[in-house]
Amino acid sequence: MRVDLAYGADGLVVDLPDDRTTVIAPVARPAVADEAAEVRRALREPIAGPPLRERVRPGQTVAISACDGTRPQPRHLMIPAILDELDGLVDTGDIVILVATGTHRGNTDAELRAMFGDQVVDSVRIVNHDARDAASLRWMGRHGKDVPVWLNREWTDADVRITTGFVEPHFFAGFSGGPKLVAPGLAALETVLTLHDAARIGDPRATWGVIEGNPVHDDVRAIAAATGVTFALDVVLNREQRIVRAFGGDLPAMHAAATAAARAAAMRPVAEPFDVVVTTNAGYPLDQNLYQSVKGMSAAAQVVRPGGTIICAAECRDGFPDHGSYRDVLTSAASPDALFEEISRRAETVPDQWQVQIQARIQRHARVIMHTSHLNDADLAAAHLERTGDIAATVRGLPGRVCVLPEGPMTIPYLAGE
């Protein structure tokens, strides 16, 4: 059985045993015929509340929040559509686009041009949010379950605040998009650390597809509600990262509709666990580093038997990456067991520990082998991971039933009845 795995920009084809392999992919969804027109429709025919143009008055200032370069958001379609709606109401000089980096690094000029297009970069001010720059943050009070909230001043001080994103299942926040474009996207480091502390991440409800009762998403939702979003715009994408449908309007109703569409396409029940699960991180840009690839491991962990094997194909062209604290935390203990126990006991959260906490939990449950083009054996050994240069040969050497998630976290399998 030849299976095309989403890997880097070009994909990876593997030949797996026909008699014991099951492929699980999202429901095939064609892109809309005219993606730009679909985005305009969502702005003019929102799920709830008036159209965007009716929410804006002449002379107002506008802040637009957008995903950073690790996300496949079609910013080149979504942002120009918003700017067109604002034309004649708001001066371009009164608009700022905020790259909702959370704790990630800022994007370079070349990356911004690839993300937004030259015309947007050359005509509208774009600012990379910096969670560690106190001067750029404003105190907004405590919200949710006692979360101290600082947000980007350019966002809080704008008259009109517009979130833009895309919705897919998320491995501890339930679903992406919507309120996450406020916090953690535009929040201070201390706010992010609280939202990602060991207790919240360790809660069994902090998982794929769960929003209500999820301690992470409950607080994220509370922050967005308390601090105010004028209009929210999200899209749902297919495997080719093309728009299937766009959703706009009041944030709660818009996000509920978008998550329902994403859930129907992405979450797939299986009857029983598998011995081996081959997964990916959905290709570039999602698989550009090991940190992001924990999501692919987590998708596989939902249906691998205890003691089974996960094989994760992720290009990792950006390494661990070198920025952030993920590598330092990951290599700070001798084993996944030691990491998990140490993080679980922490009273204070360290940046990026949440990714290590989830990775360690997965590795306590199953063996994890990586296929990657940019991390060597020593790198992976330091990360407590094994390596394979030939996925097919590794699978053939392992007994039992095999599951393949060719799009990784774009498909979330779960055991029927759970």
Side-chain angles (χ1 to χ4, degrees):
M1 176 186 296
R2 291 172 63 82
V3 183
D4 187 2
L5 303 179
Y7 181 85
D10 300 322
L12 178 68
V13 177
V14 295
D15 193 359
L16 302 175
D18 288 306
D19 60 341
R20 57 189 179 102
T21 299
T22 300
V23 177
I24 302 177
V27 175
R29 300 166 295 173
V32 294
D34 187 333
E35 294 176 277
E38 171 64 7
V39 175
R40 288 195 299 273
R41 182 202 59 75
L43 296 172
R44 297 172 182 179
E45 301 173 10
I47 296 293
L52 172 61
R53 193 169 174 86
E54 294 181 14
R55 304 184 191 219
V56 184
R57 298 191 303 276
Q60 289 187 310
T61 57
V62 177
I64 305 170
S65 176
C67 301
D68 73 1
T70 65
R71 305 291 191 268
Q73 179 192 2
R75 290 161 289 256
H76 65 292
L77 296 171
M78 299 174 75
I79 301 304
I82 291 172
L83 297 178
D84 286 346
E85 292 301 295
L86 298 177
D87 187 41
L89 282 177
V90 178
D91 291 337
T92 303
D94 289 329
I95 301 172
V96 61
I97 298 169
L98 299 172
V99 182
T101 58
T103 60
H104 301 169
R105 68 170 175 84
N107 291 119
T108 65
D109 179 74
E111 290 170 334
L112 293 175
R113 291 180 182 279
M115 291 158 59
F116 295 98
D118 290 337
Q119 184 174 356
V120 170
V121 173
D122 291 335
S123 61
V124 182
R125 189 164 60 95
I126 302 178
V127 175
N128 283 304
H129 171 67
D130 185 347
R132 297 165 177 82
D133 178 15
S136 70
L137 302 165
R138 183 177 297 283
W139 171 247
M140 303 299 291
R142 291 182 174 272
H143 302 289
K145 192 176 179 181
D146 199 32
V147 181
V149 179
W150 285 265
L151 295 177
N152 190 291
R153 284 178 179 270
E154 301 247 23
W155 175 258
T156 62
D157 293 355
D159 299 317
V160 175
R161 295 179 290 278
I162 303 169
T163 62
T164 71
F166 79 106
V167 175
E168 64 176 357
H170 189 278
F171 67 139
F172 62 78
F175 282 94
S176 64
K180 289 183 86 268
L181 272 296
V182 179
L186 299 176
L189 178 61
E190 183 174 348
T191 304
V192 177
L193 295 182
T194 302
L195 288 170
H196 295 69
D197 66 17
R200 286 176 173 82
I201 297 298
D203 191 298
R205 296 166 296 179
T207 190
W208 301 102
V210 177
I211 289 183
E212 298 295 336
N214 179 330
V216 178
H217 204 282
D218 284 350
D219 283 343
V220 166
R221 201 167 55 249
I223 292 168
T227 58
V229 173
T230 306
F231 193 93
L233 175 67
D234 276 333
V235 295
V236 173
L237 306 175
N238 64 12
R239 179 174 186 174
E240 291 74 35
Q241 298 176 1
R242 302 274 306 280
I243 296 174
V244 173
R245 188 176 173 193
F247 302 82
D250 296 342
L251 193 153
M254 180 285 301
H255 197 239
T259 56
R263 183 190 306 276
M267 303 198 72
R268 308 294 297 276
V270 301
E272 57 184 338
F274 292 85
D275 301 288
V276 180
V277 182
V278 178
T279 186
T280 75
N281 212 55
Y284 184 82
L286 292 169
D287 74 346
Q288 64 185 289
N289 57 54
L290 187 62
Y291 173 95
Q292 293 295 337
S293 301
V294 176
K295 295 174 184 176
M297 300 177 204
S298 178
Q302 306 309 300
V303 291
V304 71
R305 67 167 175 80
T309 301
I310 294 169
I311 302 172
C312 181
E315 186 183 48
C316 298
R317 65 176 67 179
D318 197 22
F320 275 82
D322 291 333
H323 56 85
S325 303
Y326 168 70
R327 183 173 189 165
D328 290 340
V329 178
L330 183 59
T331 58
S332 66
S335 69
D337 281 338
L339 281 169
F340 185 83
E341 295 299 334
E342 196 277 326
I343 292 172
S344 297
R345 291 193 301 266
R346 283 182 181 167
E348 295 187 8
T349 307
V350 174
D352 297 330
Q353 74 171 40
W354 46 89
Q355 215 82 347
V356 177
Q357 182 181 0
I358 294 171
Q359 181 179 328
R361 184 173 66 204
I362 294 166
Q363 292 184 259
R364 284 158 58 95
H365 176 71
R367 176 187 182 192
V368 180
I369 303 173
M370 294 295 301
H371 175 86
T372 173
S373 303
H374 295 275
L375 291 170
N376 60 36
D377 290 353
D379 290 331
L380 292 173
H384 317 291
L385 295 163
E386 300 175 61
R387 176 189 179 88
T388 178
D390 187 336
I391 293 173
T394 300
V395 171
R396 286 194 296 271
L398 294 168
R401 298 168 58 249
V402 180
C403 172
V404 185
L405 305 177
E407 299 177 47
M410 301 299 284
T411 316
I412 307 304
Y414 62 95
L415 297 175
E418 290 192 1

Short mmCIF file of all heavy atoms in Angstrom, two decimals, residues 16 49 104 153 160-161 174 211 343 382 418:
data_model
loop_
_atom_site.label_atom_id
_atom_site.label_comp_id
_atom_site.label_asym_id
_atom_site.label_seq_id
_atom_site.Cartn_x
_atom_site.Cartn_y
_atom_site.Cartn_z
N LEU A 16 3.60 0.50 2.60
CA LEU A 16 3.31 -0.20 3.85
C LEU A 16 2.53 -1.49 3.58
O LEU A 16 1.89 -1.62 2.52
CB LEU A 16 2.53 0.72 4.79
CG LEU A 16 3.23 2.04 5.14
CD1 LEU A 16 2.32 2.92 5.97
CD2 LEU A 16 4.54 1.79 5.88
N GLY A 49 -24.45 38.84 14.38
CA GLY A 49 -24.12 40.25 14.43
C GLY A 49 -24.05 40.88 13.05
O GLY A 49 -24.17 40.20 12.02
N HIS A 104 6.39 32.56 20.41
CA HIS A 104 7.28 32.22 19.29
C HIS A 104 8.09 33.45 18.88
O HIS A 104 7.77 34.58 19.24
CB HIS A 104 6.47 31.75 18.08
CG HIS A 104 5.62 30.56 18.36
ND1 HIS A 104 4.64 30.11 17.48
CD2 HIS A 104 5.58 29.70 19.40
CE1 HIS A 104 4.06 29.04 17.97
NE2 HIS A 104 4.60 28.78 19.15
N ARG A 153 -0.46 46.45 23.60
CA ARG A 153 -1.08 47.77 23.65
C ARG A 153 -1.71 48.19 22.32
O ARG A 153 -2.73 48.88 22.29
CB ARG A 153 -0.04 48.83 24.04
CG ARG A 153 0.35 48.83 25.51
CD ARG A 153 1.42 49.88 25.77
NE ARG A 153 1.80 49.92 27.16
CZ ARG A 153 1.22 50.68 28.08
NH1 ARG A 153 0.23 51.48 27.72
NH2 ARG A 153 1.63 50.65 29.34
N VAL A 160 -11.17 49.38 16.95
CA VAL A 160 -11.75 48.18 16.33
C VAL A 160 -10.71 47.07 16.40
O VAL A 160 -9.57 47.26 15.99
CB VAL A 160 -12.14 48.46 14.86
CG1 VAL A 160 -12.63 47.19 14.18
CG2 VAL A 160 -13.20 49.55 14.79
N ARG A 161 -11.12 45.90 16.91
CA ARG A 161 -10.19 44.77 17.06
C ARG A 161 -10.75 43.55 16.31
O ARG A 161 -11.87 43.10 16.61
CB ARG A 161 -9.99 44.44 18.54
CG ARG A 161 -9.29 45.57 19.30
CD ARG A 161 -9.10 45.27 20.78
NE ARG A 161 -10.35 45.27 21.50
CZ ARG A 161 -10.98 46.36 21.95
NH1 ARG A 161 -10.44 47.56 21.73
NH2 ARG A 161 -12.11 46.27 22.61
N GLY A 174 -8.25 22.26 22.54
CA GLY A 174 -9.50 21.80 21.95
C GLY A 174 -9.59 22.09 20.47
O GLY A 174 -9.65 21.18 19.65
N ILE A 211 -13.80 21.81 24.21
CA ILE A 211 -13.76 23.24 24.51
C ILE A 211 -14.40 23.51 25.87
O ILE A 211 -13.76 24.01 26.79
CB ILE A 211 -14.46 24.06 23.40
CG1 ILE A 211 -13.60 24.04 22.13
CG2 ILE A 211 -14.69 25.50 23.86
CD1 ILE A 211 -14.16 24.87 21.00
N ILE A 343 8.16 18.21 35.85
CA ILE A 343 7.27 19.28 35.40
C ILE A 343 5.95 19.24 36.16
O ILE A 343 5.41 20.29 36.55
CB ILE A 343 7.02 19.17 33.88
CG1 ILE A 343 8.31 19.49 33.12
CG2 ILE A 343 5.90 20.12 33.44
CD1 ILE A 343 8.23 19.22 31.62
N ALA A 382 19.20 13.22 22.34
CA ALA A 382 19.11 14.21 23.42
C ALA A 382 17.66 14.53 23.75
O ALA A 382 17.32 14.92 24.88
CB ALA A 382 19.85 15.49 23.04
N GLU A 418 -15.14 6.75 23.76
CA GLU A 418 -14.40 7.59 24.70
C GLU A 418 -14.67 9.05 24.42
O GLU A 418 -14.88 9.44 23.29
CB GLU A 418 -12.90 7.31 24.59
CG GLU A 418 -12.50 5.95 25.12
CD GLU A 418 -10.99 5.81 25.26
OE1 GLU A 418 -10.28 6.78 24.95
OE2 GLU A 418 -10.54 4.72 25.65
#
